[in-house]
Amino acid sequence: MTHTPKEKAQNNTGSTEQETQQNTYQSSTKRIAKNTLMLYFRQILILLVSLYTVRVVLNTLGAEDYGIYNVVAGVVTMFSFLSGAMATASQRYFAFEMGRGNEEGLQKVFCVTMTIYVLLALVIVVLAETVGLWFVNTRLVIPAQRMTAARWIYQFAILSFMVTLLTTPYMASIIAHENMNVYAYVSIAEAALKLGIVFMLRVLPYDKLIVYGALLLIVACVNTGLYRGYCKRRYAECRFRLLWDRALFTELVSYSGWNLFGSVASMVRNQGMTILLNLFFGTVVSAARGIAVQVNAAVLSFAQNFSTALRPQIIKSYAAGEKTIMLRMLMYGTKIVFFLMLLICLPFFFEVPYIMKLWLKNVPVYTIIFVRLAIIDVLIDSISYPLMAVVQATGKIKLYQSIVGGSLILNLPVSYIVLKFGCSPESVFIVAIVLSVIALLCRILVVQKLISFNLVVPFIKLLLQFSVIMIIAGSLPFFIIHWLDDSFLKCIFFVLISIMWSGIILFLFGLNKNEKKRFINRLMRK
């Protein structure tokens, strides 16, 4: 069969477009892999430092003071739902304008975003010093002799939050530029400073709880100075000037307004549960909840790191009209984030009792069950991050936040009801897990509608594949854990065996033929 010159040209054009898309996709995945490795190195170091510092701080402050810090600082953190909405918006619009190659748009986004953050900071200060302060003074269960320290901690937490809030536009610019090494280095410096706090806390003679809050404020100021200094020197758009663009301001506020609902749902789900447990069970259970939340945040940060590396590429692909590449990265990201999280979560889940004992020495009651349930919740939540990136890329978040945020905000009333009926403290975690599954299913359906692409079938296949992999990968560790006595060497041996076994299962059952071939080729080259 012969082809006319026109048909040959069309075939060549189609082939060239496919090759270009393939090269773009491979370049994107390599950049994502490089940035993910950098962020993972950062996170492992931060995690090790956090494990040590939490142990020392808990032992230095005691369970009661540590519980007071978590619940009081949690009141301030509740106001992060306002800043969280704008943070998502600024990151999205930075990446979107970069995908379009619009430098003037980048400058406008930065200046308008910074203006909004200044206004937001003023609003949060007013709310924190009125409603928030009233709540701390009249509603929290805090021993009378520690109320003065609790008020000091509250004020330090407000100042720390304000300093961090005004740094967000600079961090958004770094992430959009995909300079994850800078993001990693500053975070490592922050971890080192927090490690220094541990040693200072032991030797300073004043009230340990108040000193802890003051030192954390100093760390926040140093961290902010590093981010702002770097961005002002390296990025032309990160130079603030008075600039008013009503259309952009309205668009950012509108986008943030719907994100605000999602941030409220997240705040209720996390900090609301801490306060709820404090109201029903007191400060000791709050301490156990605080430890579980820190573990949750530490483990989930690995998924967030991958999402941080993946999100700019998804948004830029959408902005450039490369929908095929965006969809491939969505499926690729969902699979990889689950694999990475399973390697971390599986051995940790089984070894929680020994690790908690090794880490904290004095383990508050309910800590073991809280942490295990938090790990299950993290594994479910992590699958959602690539889907969230696609929603942010489209900019159509009204439907998404209405449905998904609505399902998550149910955590507080449902948990209150089950506790009112006399259920145990861990019931709030079980409620969160059930609602996380519902939220994941809602995300799949909403994203399918937003991008007009059938996601239900491929995602059902992925979730079934994940379930099979999780059962098989967990079988060997389940039997091994009961054969060995607790010891440090046994813990190391168990973790190594679990990771190796999970890696084999992921390779055999998680990768298709082409992915296995590429993995082997890359491994041989290395």
Side-chain angles (χ1 to χ4, degrees), residues 358-379:
L358 183 68
W359 174 28
L360 302 174
K361 289 186 178 179
N362 301 315
V363 183
V365 64
Y366 290 109
T367 300
I368 304 301
I369 185 64
F370 281 7
V371 171
R372 278 183 163 161
L373 292 173
I375 291 171
I376 296 173
D377 191 40
V378 161
L379 198 57

mmCIF file of all heavy atoms in Angstrom, residues 358-379:
data_model
loop_
_atom_site.group_PDB
_atom_site.id
_atom_site.type_symbol
_atom_site.label_atom_id
_atom_site.label_comp_id
_atom_site.label_asym_id
_atom_site.label_seq_id
_atom_site.Cartn_x
_atom_site.Cartn_y
_atom_site.Cartn_z
ATOM 1 N N LEU A 358 11.413 2.486 72.601
ATOM 2 C CA LEU A 358 12.786 2.917 72.356
ATOM 3 C C LEU A 358 12.858 4.431 72.217
ATOM 4 O O LEU A 358 13.802 5.074 72.687
ATOM 5 C CB LEU A 358 13.314 2.244 71.086
ATOM 6 C CG LEU A 358 14.769 2.518 70.692
ATOM 7 C CD1 LEU A 358 15.722 1.895 71.704
ATOM 8 C CD2 LEU A 358 15.050 1.981 69.296
ATOM 9 N N TRP A 359 11.851 4.996 71.579
ATOM 10 C CA TRP A 359 11.828 6.423 71.270
ATOM 11 C C TRP A 359 11.502 7.269 72.496
ATOM 12 O O TRP A 359 12.200 8.225 72.830
ATOM 13 C CB TRP A 359 10.808 6.658 70.151
ATOM 14 C CG TRP A 359 10.531 8.081 69.795
ATOM 15 C CD1 TRP A 359 11.373 9.159 69.924
ATOM 16 C CD2 TRP A 359 9.317 8.608 69.245
ATOM 17 N NE1 TRP A 359 10.762 10.309 69.491
ATOM 18 C CE2 TRP A 359 9.503 10.008 69.067
ATOM 19 C CE3 TRP A 359 8.105 8.040 68.878
ATOM 20 C CZ2 TRP A 359 8.518 10.826 68.537
ATOM 21 C CZ3 TRP A 359 7.122 8.861 68.345
ATOM 22 C CH2 TRP A 359 7.334 10.232 68.181
ATOM 23 N N LEU A 360 10.421 6.909 73.207
ATOM 24 C CA LEU A 360 9.883 7.772 74.259
ATOM 25 C C LEU A 360 10.249 7.341 75.670
ATOM 26 O O LEU A 360 10.104 8.117 76.605
ATOM 27 C CB LEU A 360 8.351 7.835 74.140
ATOM 28 C CG LEU A 360 7.787 8.332 72.806
ATOM 29 C CD1 LEU A 360 6.269 8.200 72.803
ATOM 30 C CD2 LEU A 360 8.194 9.772 72.552
ATOM 31 N N LYS A 361 10.647 6.087 75.853
ATOM 32 C CA LYS A 361 10.875 5.496 77.168
ATOM 33 C C LYS A 361 9.563 5.381 77.934
ATOM 34 O O LYS A 361 9.074 4.297 78.195
ATOM 35 C CB LYS A 361 11.905 6.315 77.966
ATOM 36 C CG LYS A 361 13.331 6.197 77.447
ATOM 37 C CD LYS A 361 14.310 6.900 78.365
ATOM 38 C CE LYS A 361 15.739 6.751 77.877
ATOM 39 N NZ LYS A 361 16.700 7.455 78.754
ATOM 40 N N ASN A 362 8.993 6.522 78.324
ATOM 41 C CA ASN A 362 7.702 6.520 79.023
ATOM 42 C C ASN A 362 6.594 6.782 78.004
ATOM 43 O O ASN A 362 6.385 7.927 77.593
ATOM 44 C CB ASN A 362 7.685 7.584 80.125
ATOM 45 C CG ASN A 362 8.781 7.366 81.148
ATOM 46 O OD1 ASN A 362 8.993 6.236 81.593
ATOM 47 N ND2 ASN A 362 9.474 8.426 81.520
ATOM 48 N N VAL A 363 5.912 5.730 77.600
ATOM 49 C CA VAL A 363 4.912 5.842 76.529
ATOM 50 C C VAL A 363 3.549 6.146 77.145
ATOM 51 O O VAL A 363 3.033 5.344 77.924
ATOM 52 C CB VAL A 363 4.838 4.533 75.712
ATOM 53 C CG1 VAL A 363 3.849 4.674 74.560
ATOM 54 C CG2 VAL A 363 6.223 4.161 75.171
ATOM 55 N N PRO A 364 2.938 7.298 76.813
ATOM 56 C CA PRO A 364 1.602 7.614 77.352
ATOM 57 C C PRO A 364 0.576 6.571 76.924
ATOM 58 O O PRO A 364 0.689 5.940 75.870
ATOM 59 C CB PRO A 364 1.287 8.983 76.728
ATOM 60 C CG PRO A 364 2.620 9.574 76.386
ATOM 61 C CD PRO A 364 3.487 8.403 76.010
ATOM 62 N N VAL A 365 -0.437 6.381 77.757
ATOM 63 C CA VAL A 365 -1.487 5.418 77.482
ATOM 64 C C VAL A 365 -2.171 5.750 76.159
ATOM 65 O O VAL A 365 -2.292 6.915 75.791
ATOM 66 C CB VAL A 365 -2.507 5.399 78.647
ATOM 67 C CG1 VAL A 365 -3.221 6.731 78.762
ATOM 68 C CG2 VAL A 365 -3.501 4.260 78.489
ATOM 69 N N TYR A 366 -2.597 4.750 75.431
ATOM 70 C CA TYR A 366 -3.279 4.834 74.134
ATOM 71 C C TYR A 366 -2.343 5.167 72.960
ATOM 72 O O TYR A 366 -2.793 5.202 71.820
ATOM 73 C CB TYR A 366 -4.415 5.868 74.150
ATOM 74 C CG TYR A 366 -5.607 5.461 74.984
ATOM 75 C CD1 TYR A 366 -5.879 6.111 76.184
ATOM 76 C CD2 TYR A 366 -6.441 4.434 74.580
ATOM 77 C CE1 TYR A 366 -6.966 5.741 76.969
ATOM 78 C CE2 TYR A 366 -7.533 4.056 75.361
ATOM 79 C CZ TYR A 366 -7.789 4.707 76.547
ATOM 80 O OH TYR A 366 -8.856 4.340 77.319
ATOM 81 N N THR A 367 -1.068 5.425 73.234
ATOM 82 C CA THR A 367 -0.180 5.852 72.156
ATOM 83 C C THR A 367 -0.045 4.785 71.070
ATOM 84 O O THR A 367 -0.082 5.101 69.865
ATOM 85 C CB THR A 367 1.213 6.200 72.714
ATOM 86 O OG1 THR A 367 1.095 7.261 73.660
ATOM 87 C CG2 THR A 367 2.156 6.626 71.596
ATOM 88 N N ILE A 368 0.115 3.514 71.446
ATOM 89 C CA ILE A 368 0.349 2.439 70.474
ATOM 90 C C ILE A 368 -0.820 2.320 69.508
ATOM 91 O O ILE A 368 -0.639 2.320 68.269
ATOM 92 C CB ILE A 368 0.583 1.083 71.185
ATOM 93 C CG1 ILE A 368 1.741 1.189 72.195
ATOM 94 C CG2 ILE A 368 0.883 0.005 70.144
ATOM 95 C CD1 ILE A 368 3.048 1.598 71.596
ATOM 96 N N ILE A 369 -2.028 2.210 70.023
ATOM 97 C CA ILE A 369 -3.195 2.042 69.156
ATOM 98 C C ILE A 369 -3.445 3.302 68.326
ATOM 99 O O ILE A 369 -3.822 3.226 67.151
ATOM 100 C CB ILE A 369 -4.450 1.672 69.999
ATOM 101 C CG1 ILE A 369 -5.638 1.379 69.082
ATOM 102 C CG2 ILE A 369 -4.786 2.764 70.996
ATOM 103 C CD1 ILE A 369 -5.467 0.189 68.179
ATOM 104 N N PHE A 370 -3.202 4.488 68.922
ATOM 105 C CA PHE A 370 -3.361 5.739 68.169
ATOM 106 C C PHE A 370 -2.429 5.768 66.952
ATOM 107 O O PHE A 370 -2.838 6.116 65.846
ATOM 108 C CB PHE A 370 -3.056 6.944 69.066
ATOM 109 C CG PHE A 370 -4.178 7.327 69.991
ATOM 110 C CD1 PHE A 370 -5.324 6.548 70.106
ATOM 111 C CD2 PHE A 370 -4.098 8.485 70.756
ATOM 112 C CE1 PHE A 370 -6.361 6.905 70.963
ATOM 113 C CE2 PHE A 370 -5.126 8.859 71.612
ATOM 114 C CZ PHE A 370 -6.252 8.055 71.716
ATOM 115 N N VAL A 371 -1.172 5.405 67.189
ATOM 116 C CA VAL A 371 -0.171 5.473 66.109
ATOM 117 C C VAL A 371 -0.487 4.465 65.009
ATOM 118 O O VAL A 371 -0.398 4.772 63.815
ATOM 119 C CB VAL A 371 1.246 5.247 66.675
ATOM 120 C CG1 VAL A 371 2.266 5.081 65.548
ATOM 121 C CG2 VAL A 371 1.653 6.405 67.568
ATOM 122 N N ARG A 372 -0.884 3.256 65.383
ATOM 123 C CA ARG A 372 -1.195 2.237 64.368
ATOM 124 C C ARG A 372 -2.386 2.663 63.497
ATOM 125 O O ARG A 372 -2.368 2.504 62.279
ATOM 126 C CB ARG A 372 -1.470 0.896 65.044
ATOM 127 C CG ARG A 372 -0.196 0.143 65.389
ATOM 128 C CD ARG A 372 -0.470 -1.198 65.991
ATOM 129 N NE ARG A 372 0.720 -2.052 65.945
ATOM 130 C CZ ARG A 372 0.904 -3.116 66.688
ATOM 131 N NH1 ARG A 372 -0.041 -3.493 67.558
ATOM 132 N NH2 ARG A 372 2.012 -3.838 66.579
ATOM 133 N N LEU A 373 -3.414 3.189 64.125
ATOM 134 C CA LEU A 373 -4.565 3.655 63.358
ATOM 135 C C LEU A 373 -4.196 4.856 62.490
ATOM 136 O O LEU A 373 -4.695 5.003 61.368
ATOM 137 C CB LEU A 373 -5.710 4.008 64.300
ATOM 138 C CG LEU A 373 -6.358 2.820 65.036
ATOM 139 C CD1 LEU A 373 -7.359 3.310 66.080
ATOM 140 C CD2 LEU A 373 -7.047 1.885 64.045
ATOM 141 N N ALA A 374 -3.304 5.711 63.001
ATOM 142 C CA ALA A 374 -2.850 6.863 62.216
ATOM 143 C C ALA A 374 -2.087 6.412 60.970
ATOM 144 O O ALA A 374 -2.203 7.025 59.901
ATOM 145 C CB ALA A 374 -1.971 7.776 63.072
ATOM 146 N N ILE A 375 -1.310 5.331 61.076
ATOM 147 C CA ILE A 375 -0.561 4.809 59.928
ATOM 148 C C ILE A 375 -1.513 4.313 58.843
ATOM 149 O O ILE A 375 -1.302 4.551 57.645
ATOM 150 C CB ILE A 375 0.395 3.684 60.379
ATOM 151 C CG1 ILE A 375 1.518 4.260 61.238
ATOM 152 C CG2 ILE A 375 0.984 2.947 59.170
ATOM 153 C CD1 ILE A 375 2.384 3.209 61.892
ATOM 154 N N ILE A 376 -2.570 3.609 59.247
ATOM 155 C CA ILE A 376 -3.569 3.142 58.271
ATOM 156 C C ILE A 376 -4.211 4.332 57.560
ATOM 157 O O ILE A 376 -4.377 4.332 56.332
ATOM 158 C CB ILE A 376 -4.644 2.287 58.974
ATOM 159 C CG1 ILE A 376 -4.020 1.016 59.554
ATOM 160 C CG2 ILE A 376 -5.777 1.931 58.004
ATOM 161 C CD1 ILE A 376 -4.960 0.197 60.418
ATOM 162 N N ASP A 377 -4.543 5.354 58.327
ATOM 163 C CA ASP A 377 -5.158 6.553 57.757
ATOM 164 C C ASP A 377 -4.207 7.240 56.772
ATOM 165 O O ASP A 377 -4.627 7.721 55.714
ATOM 166 C CB ASP A 377 -5.541 7.504 58.894
ATOM 167 C CG ASP A 377 -6.427 8.638 58.423
ATOM 168 O OD1 ASP A 377 -7.322 8.388 57.594
ATOM 169 O OD2 ASP A 377 -6.221 9.774 58.876
ATOM 170 N N VAL A 378 -2.927 7.293 57.123
ATOM 171 C CA VAL A 378 -1.920 7.910 56.256
ATOM 172 C C VAL A 378 -1.825 7.183 54.921
ATOM 173 O O VAL A 378 -1.753 7.806 53.851
ATOM 174 C CB VAL A 378 -0.544 7.908 56.957
ATOM 175 C CG1 VAL A 378 0.580 8.106 55.951
ATOM 176 C CG2 VAL A 378 -0.471 9.008 57.998
ATOM 177 N N LEU A 379 -1.818 5.871 54.962
ATOM 178 C CA LEU A 379 -1.683 5.073 53.734
ATOM 179 C C LEU A 379 -2.853 5.334 52.786
ATOM 180 O O LEU A 379 -2.668 5.406 51.565
ATOM 181 C CB LEU A 379 -1.607 3.593 54.092
ATOM 182 C CG LEU A 379 -1.048 2.643 53.025
ATOM 183 C CD1 LEU A 379 0.347 3.058 52.604
ATOM 184 C CD2 LEU A 379 -1.036 1.213 53.542
#
